[in-house]
Amino acid sequence: MSDSYPALFQPGRIGATTVRNRLVVPAMGTNYASEDGAVTDQLLDYYEERARGGAGLVVVGSTGVDGTRSNAIARQLRIDDHRYIAGLSTLATRIRNHGAAAFIQLTHAGGGTTARKTRGETPVVPSAVPGAYNASDPHVLATDEVADLVEAHVEGAARAARAGFDGVELHCGHGYLLEQFMSARTNERTDRYGGDLEARMRFPLDIVAGIRDRLGPDFGLSVRLTVEEFVPGGQEIDESKRVATMLEAAGADVINVTTGTYGSAPQTIEPMRYEEGWRAHYAAEVGSVVDIPTIAVGVIRQPDTAASLVADDVAEFVAVGRGHISDPHFARKAKRGEADEINRCIGCNIGCVGDGIFSHRPMGCSVNPAVGREAEFAATDPSPESQQVLVVGGGPAGMEAAVWSARRGHDVTLCEESDELGGQLSLAATAPGKGKIAWFTDYLTRQVDAAAVDVRLETRVDAELVRDRDPDAVVVATGARPRSLDVPGVDRDHVCQAWDVLAERETVEGRVLVVGGGGVGCDTAEWLAERGHEVTILEYADRLAPRKEVISRLAMLEEFGDRENLRWETGCQVTEIGPTGVTVRDADDVETTVATDSVVLAVGHARDATLADELEQLPVDVYVVGDARESRNIDAATDEGTDVGRSIGAPDPVFTPRL
Ligand SMILES: Cc1cc2nc3c(=O)[nH]c(=O)nc-3n(C[C@H](O)[C@H](O)[C@H](O)COP(=O)(O)O)c2cc1C
């Protein structure tokens, strides 16, 4: 066995706790708790798998100290009553049994709560600063209510200790209550909890001192600290360094250095376009003024990156957040020299955030369908009998279906019409800021190979081929085809499809109008703008990319705002394409002609139903998955492909063939 990443796999210390290596699973809320905030089996299985995967420290995600009004997410854990101790103690044991240290994050979301939307509760804040919070019309905490909340945090820590956790983490970041008190932008109080930095720090410092007082020197105490808020007038690193020294003096064991607040989500849970480790230097800055260790975070996705941050003394510990959602065995694989086997998070934010916790739904993962279903996946049995399975289409849905059915003992052939696997992943990876998508294509391709799937490239499948091969089951994963526009002039030579531009099958000249400002239209427009074209997007809806994952959309608009050669018009409909211009009708039915040299169509795509329809009459089990079933996001493709692969020939399938 190779001795991989020695810097990463040396033990470290957080206060009195020895941590077996430098990899941290940072706090991430899952929405797997019960309605009332109790531990569930789903939550236990999720955390246990991350501990089993080898991380040194697992921090359980935000846990409420003050009823559901402290909830950051809808189904959040709570620690504000003794009735929660039993479940939390099972959780601590399930993490610690695997050798990981277990901390739990104490959170009060304050004005960042979701409880207004999900439960009609009134949020509490330090000061009623307009626009500063997720929730409006808040209650401004009275002085004695703040003192009560100090006690609520200390009580929470005491319950965590009773439950068997090694420590707690105080959430002083991401726009939640403690950060709201610490930041001059959101704290306009004139009582003992507002004013100069010392006064703004009184609330968190009283908690730190209170926890130390109650639980002694050996109980672990991490502080998750936003050191840059990235909003006008927000907290900045220089003052945050002073804050860190104050927290250290009060008794903190480690500073978990993060960034972002309400209003700067792209700098908190970065979308795909952010570089690996782009904000780790903040940990080094904090580390330069404190003697306790620091934890760096933010798009740390590969063991190489993590190891060099530790080896270069940027931070003593590195947090790999979404990278542990996508692959709970990140640490184990890295240590064994199997870094190539890690399913790296691509940062799409769809399964975990956009369609997950931000939508009040359980956390999922576009590249790891097993997340939140750990027990179910662990129990995936081989098929009682081996079947001949023909998978048609080598995109994510087809590859997942092929891998999972082959792993279960079927004899699988995967046919792909083009000369490479990847499908729409390959196309998407060419768009600006989306190169990480290729990580997932590489991962799936390796899994296809390891599962000994018989891959036939440049092979088009029709009903006749299916009849000849006579398989037991066919998985139709033929994806989607781009739609066209039904307007005069759409056949002109200077009109082409966005997919063909990204794939470099078509070239465009001069000024370009991109018709359609959804995800593909925006990607293509940015791609063309990067190449120097004057680009205008024409979008029918009243805003660009309305269905794009919300954080990625914000980051995209920030980027677009910086580009002089990229403009967009919304609320307009193209009615005709002429030789030198496009006729556009606006919301008031006024038509104008916009001059252009080229027109690129990005007006959506529709399921490719050709093969599915052809197979309608054949006596074979047909499963239709991914975009071939209905054009959607990547997470639907991977989920369905996986579930079909796990279902073929299973006694209790979660997916049944089309009737
Ligand atoms: C689904 C999800 C839930 C999160 N919940 C929390 C949380 O409860 N507390 C917290 O401090 N940070 C939370 N975060 C932020 C992460 O801890 C981490 O700082 C962030 O994802 C950036 O790190 P990464 O690039 O390694 O994912 C959450 C992130 C995600 C994706």
Side-chain angles (χ1 to χ4, degrees), residues 22 28 36 45 60 64 266 274 300 390 395 401 497:
R22 305 306 181 88
M28 288 184 290
D36 181 44
D45 295 337
V60 171
Y274 278 71
I300 301 169
L390 175 64
Q497 282 287 352

Side-chain angles (χ1 to χ4, degrees), residues 435-446:
K436 293 190 187 83
I437 291 177
W439 289 351
F440 188 43
T441 316
D442 289 350
Y443 174 78
L444 282 179
T445 306
R446 263 195 297 276

